Amino acid sequence: MTENQQVSGSYWLQTAPGGRHAALTGDLDVDVAVIGGGIAGLCTAWELTRAGKSVAVLEAGRIAASVTGHTTAKVTALHSLIYDKLRRTRGSEGARLYARSQSEAIEHAAEVAAGLGIDCDWERRSAYTFTRDAGRVEELRAEARAAREAGLPASFVTETGLPFPVAGAVEVTGQAQFHPRKYLLALADDLVARGGRIHEDTTVLGLDEGEPCRLSTESGATVTARDVVVATHYPIFDRALLFTRLSPHRELVVAGTVPADQDPGGMYITPDENTRSVRTAPYGEDGTRRLLMITGEHFTPGTGDTRARFDRLAAWAREHFPDVELTHRWATQDNSPTDTVPLVGPLHHGARHTYVATGFAGWGMSGGMMASLLLTAQITGEECAWSGLYDPRRLAPAVREAPSFLKTQAEVARHFVGDRLRPSPPVEALPPGEGAVVRADGGRLAVYRDEDGALHAVSARCTHLGCLVDFNSAERAWECPCHGSRFDIDGKVVQGPATKPLERRHIGGDAEGRAPAG
């Protein structure tokens, strides 16, 4: 299959399409409303249902189809280079709690899969963080020591199953990988069988934190709940100002098959070369080939040439795995907290019945599983040893969080001001299949010309906090570089935190903002 013939979409979605859940059309009263149907939301809802709570999952799109449906699905407590940093910023006990919480979540998920008989391609593998740069070896040695001291079965190694030499690597044994859609769709079925409710195509717009809480939805239906969990990847409510502590980033994935005897036999990641991550998955019935997934090209949404990044990633895959037959390409997105640790717990300082789970920094599989155990404990009144570590209300010492915080806010400010000053192309210069932010009618419009030459115009101002969007040509989407909201060519929300579409605008065409070329 040639570059242009590759499937543009997630392998997980293609191989586990799943059924549909009806949108919410009438008012609803439950113990707990979970906003967001990704891994954190579904696992939390399932745990709470098992604990005897009446629960409803409210998902704006389809469950396990957004960020979770585009992950590479490593289930590991080795999160690149984190333990040496945690040891310095949170102390040895903080590092131990992080390792323990992630590891216990992984083992719990393995037990759930076995207990429910879920066929989700669960495989045990070692996880590796590697470098090919001899100058970084001491950094990896320190990480191995810190991970081992935190309680993980970690060691520093110089030999791996990769088809090229490495200068050194941290290995943690006994980790896992799986098919996230197969796991979560089975969990969703069991949730419904236990009396839980799932409503797709249900966008939540407002939250009243009373006793009980009330959620307003796009359809006009109201959900009343004693407790609310916001598990929308990037929080859709700004009252906790968490957007000041999160920075969004996207990464690309190319995938294809390799002969089974070329499986590198582990899960690998390197911070080198703008990130490269490698793993395989079962493929086909005869076991002669494996699906190889290569992830990397870390970037801020709405910045740079995504097509060129895909090309670089595909070239890297072919260079190191010459027999790969690339068949798929997709992108994933996550948010990194300014002080490294995810934000899981009460939504803000005054919150009594509202909770949040966000900031998994690319490790949402184990992180989402961990969050479900933590939030279930908090909502049911149980103790959780690592609640304090992940508490969103934590006040990090200025010396620890300030540099990352200031860098994040400076980047947002640069886009908010600078993007309004950059020159824009004339609409007439837009070729079919491309989009750009242009000056028109005294403002900025986001204009896309489709393959038939018709123009689609929407406001370029993100409906979250007002930054200007930019066009991602590879995925044909408008993206906000400030907080990661994404919209389709007609302005519909593809990914939050925005909950409202970009306004349709007229640009010399009909009332819908479409115009013929010419």
Side-chain angles (χ1 to χ4, degrees):
M1 185 174 288
T2 67
E3 198 77 40
N4 291 332
Q5 293 174 319
Q6 287 179 36
V7 177
S8 180
S10 165
Y11 174 80
W12 311 125
L13 291 168
Q14 183 191 72
T15 53
R20 299 302 297 257
H21 296 269
L24 182 65
T25 56
D27 293 348
L28 184 62
D29 193 331
V30 291
D31 293 332
V32 186
V34 177
I35 310 172
I39 188 165
L42 285 174
C43 288
T44 300
W46 184 81
E47 296 289 345
L48 288 166
T49 301
R50 192 177 65 151
K53 300 289 186 181
S54 62
V55 181
V57 176
L58 309 174
E59 166 57 46
R62 297 190 65 190
I63 61 169
S66 184
V67 175
T68 297
H70 293 80
T71 177
T72 48
K74 298 176 181 178
V75 192
T76 175
L78 181 64
H79 297 169
S80 190
L81 299 171
I82 191 172
Y83 289 99
D84 189 45
K85 182 175 182 179
L86 285 175
R87 182 172 58 179
R88 288 182 278 109
T89 60
R90 297 301 181 90
S92 297
E93 181 62 15
R96 281 194 293 268
L97 286 174
Y98 190 92
R100 175 186 166 190
S101 64
Q102 300 292 324
S103 297
E104 289 189 13
I106 294 167
E107 296 311 313
H108 180 72
E111 292 171 2
V112 170
L116 295 180
I118 303 175
D119 181 10
C120 60
D121 300 334
W122 186 276
E123 296 181 316
R124 291 289 185 174
R125 290 286 188 274
S126 286
Y128 298 84
T129 299
F130 72 92
T131 185
R132 301 170 74 182
D133 180 358
R136 302 194 72 169
V137 166
E138 287 307 312
E139 184 181 3
L140 268 71
R141 287 187 184 276
E143 181 67 14
R145 287 193 298 270
R148 188 166 56 250
E149 291 171 8
L152 295 180
S155 59
F156 177 82
V157 299
T158 56
E159 298 291 333
T160 72
L162 290 167
F164 49 79
V166 301
V170 182
E171 178 185 10
V172 174
T173 59
Q175 306 304 286
Q177 57 188 26
F178 74 148
H179 191 305
R181 289 273 296 175
K182 290 180 179 179
Y183 179 84
L184 289 172
L185 293 179
L187 213 63
D189 289 343
D190 192 66
L191 185 157
V192 172
R194 292 172 181 268
R197 301 181 62 154
I198 297 174
H199 293 286
E200 297 179 321
D201 301 315
T202 300
T203 300
V204 174
L205 298 179
L207 166 63
D208 177 0
E209 293 186 71
E211 293 192 21
C213 299
R214 285 184 171 81
L215 299 171
S216 58
T217 65
E218 191 175 46
S219 68
T222 298
V223 178
T224 302
R226 182 180 185 278
D227 295 291
V228 172
V229 174
V230 181
T232 54
H233 183 62
Y234 202 118
I236 59 172
F237 303 117
D238 293 327
R239 64 195 63 182
L241 299 181
L242 293 182
F243 65 87
T244 66
R245 300 169 65 186
L246 295 169
S247 58
H249 58 85
R250 288 183 75 71
E251 288 183 329
L252 308 181
V253 184
V254 296
T257 63
V258 293
D261 60 5
Q262 295 179 19
D263 180 1
M267 303 177 293
Y268 301 87
I269 190 167
T270 178
D272 303 344
E273 301 180 80
N274 196 21
T275 308
R276 291 292 184 265
S277 171
V278 180
R279 68 156 283 200
T280 67
Y283 185 87
E285 299 293 329
D286 59 9
T288 60
R289 299 187 74 81
R290 298 272 296 182
L291 184 76
L292 174 73
M293 282 172 279
I294 310 292
T295 309
E297 293 299 312
H298 181 114
F299 66 102
T300 299
T303 62
D305 187 344
T306 308
R307 287 176 177 167
R309 290 187 174 106
F310 266 122
D311 290 343
R312 285 196 294 271
L313 201 59
W316 193 93
R318 292 193 178 100
E319 176 186 356
H320 298 294
F321 296 89
D323 293 329
V324 66
E325 296 178 5
L326 294 176
T327 55
H328 290 73
R329 53 170 57 193
W330 68 88
T332 186
Q333 186 160 315
D334 215 331
N335 307 298
S336 295
T338 52
D339 70 345
T340 306
V341 177
L343 302 155
V344 183
L347 180 60
H348 54 79
H349 285 279
R352 293 180 177 272
H353 297 285
T354 52
Y355 303 84
V356 69
T358 188
F360 296 116
W363 301 102
M365 297 298 98
S366 63
M369 295 166 178
M370 175 280 299
S372 72
L373 300 179
L374 191 161
L375 293 173
T376 298
Q378 292 183 331
I379 290 171
T380 58
E382 301 294 328
E383 292 293 324
C384 182
W386 50 82
S387 291
L389 176 67
Y390 295 100
D391 195 333
R393 301 167 300 180
R394 61 187 181 253
L395 296 176
V399 69
R400 183 170 73 213
E401 189 169 3
S404 294
F405 175 86
L406 293 174
K407 180 180 179 182
T408 297
Q409 296 314 302
E411 186 69 11
V412 170
R414 184 179 70 82
H415 283 294
F416 193 88
V417 177
D419 290 354
R420 285 167 163 78
L421 300 177
R422 68 187 179 196
S424 61
V427 173
E428 296 77 13
L430 271 181
E434 293 292 341
V437 174
V438 305
R439 292 183 184 274
D441 300 327
R444 297 276 190 166
L445 298 184
V447 181
Y448 170 76
R449 189 186 298 280
D450 65 29
E451 299 297 344
D452 295 325
L455 297 176
H456 302 246
V458 295
S459 168
R461 191 175 184 271
C462 178
T463 55
H464 176 228
L465 290 177
C467 290
L468 295 186
V469 298
D470 201 2
F471 191 65
N472 178 334
S473 59
E475 300 177 79
R476 296 194 177 184
W478 296 106
E479 298 178 342
C480 175
C482 293
H483 305 109
S485 296
R486 305 179 69 243
F487 308 84
D488 71 11
I489 58 171
D490 289 317
K492 180 182 178 181
V493 177
V494 174
Q495 192 160 351
T499 58
K500 297 179 180 179
L502 299 175
E503 295 179 6
R504 292 286 189 93
R505 292 297 175 85
H506 179 82
I507 184 166
D510 60 27
E512 293 298 308
R514 294 187 294 267

